[in-house]
Amino acid sequence: MSVTNLNEINKADVLVAGLRKHPEEVKELGITTDAINRLEEAAKALRQKDAEVDELRRQTTLKAHENLELIADLKAQMLTMRKAVKARYPQYEWFKFGVQDKR
């Protein structure tokens, strides 16, 4: 959970708790029980969505690492094959084997 979101959720929780302790005074300010309930629900919704975002970030990190491993494997395979072609054939024939780089 991001620190910013966690701070805002905690502030909302404290505010809700404080407002609920003084219902008559809060009512005089025009703050209804329904408004307090909506604030509480908004904090719960943010907490849930933030947890979902954290999970998606975790999954993205895992996929990115998998992707890095795949590209490293791909590069290693290509290097092996290019080296084999370069060792066997003169430079002017490399192109026909798909070897694009030059010495």
Side-chain angles (χ1 to χ4, degrees), residues 32-88:
T32 64
T33 303
D34 194 40
I36 296 170
N37 290 340
R38 284 195 310 271
L39 177 62
E40 187 174 37
E41 288 301 314
K44 286 179 185 178
L46 179 57
R47 184 178 286 115
Q48 178 184 356
K49 288 296 177 187
D50 208 46
E52 290 174 18
V53 168
D54 284 345
E55 177 60 21
L56 290 171
R57 282 188 184 126
R58 187 188 67 74
Q59 290 175 6
T60 300
T61 299
L62 291 175
K63 292 292 182 184
H65 286 295
E66 290 173 10
N67 200 31
L68 290 174
E69 290 173 5
L70 289 171
I71 199 164
D73 180 53
L74 177 76
K75 285 181 175 184
Q77 289 181 45
M78 288 191 311
L79 180 63
T80 301
M81 293 176 191
R82 281 195 305 261
K83 280 184 177 182
V85 169
K86 288 179 177 182
R88 172 78 185 223

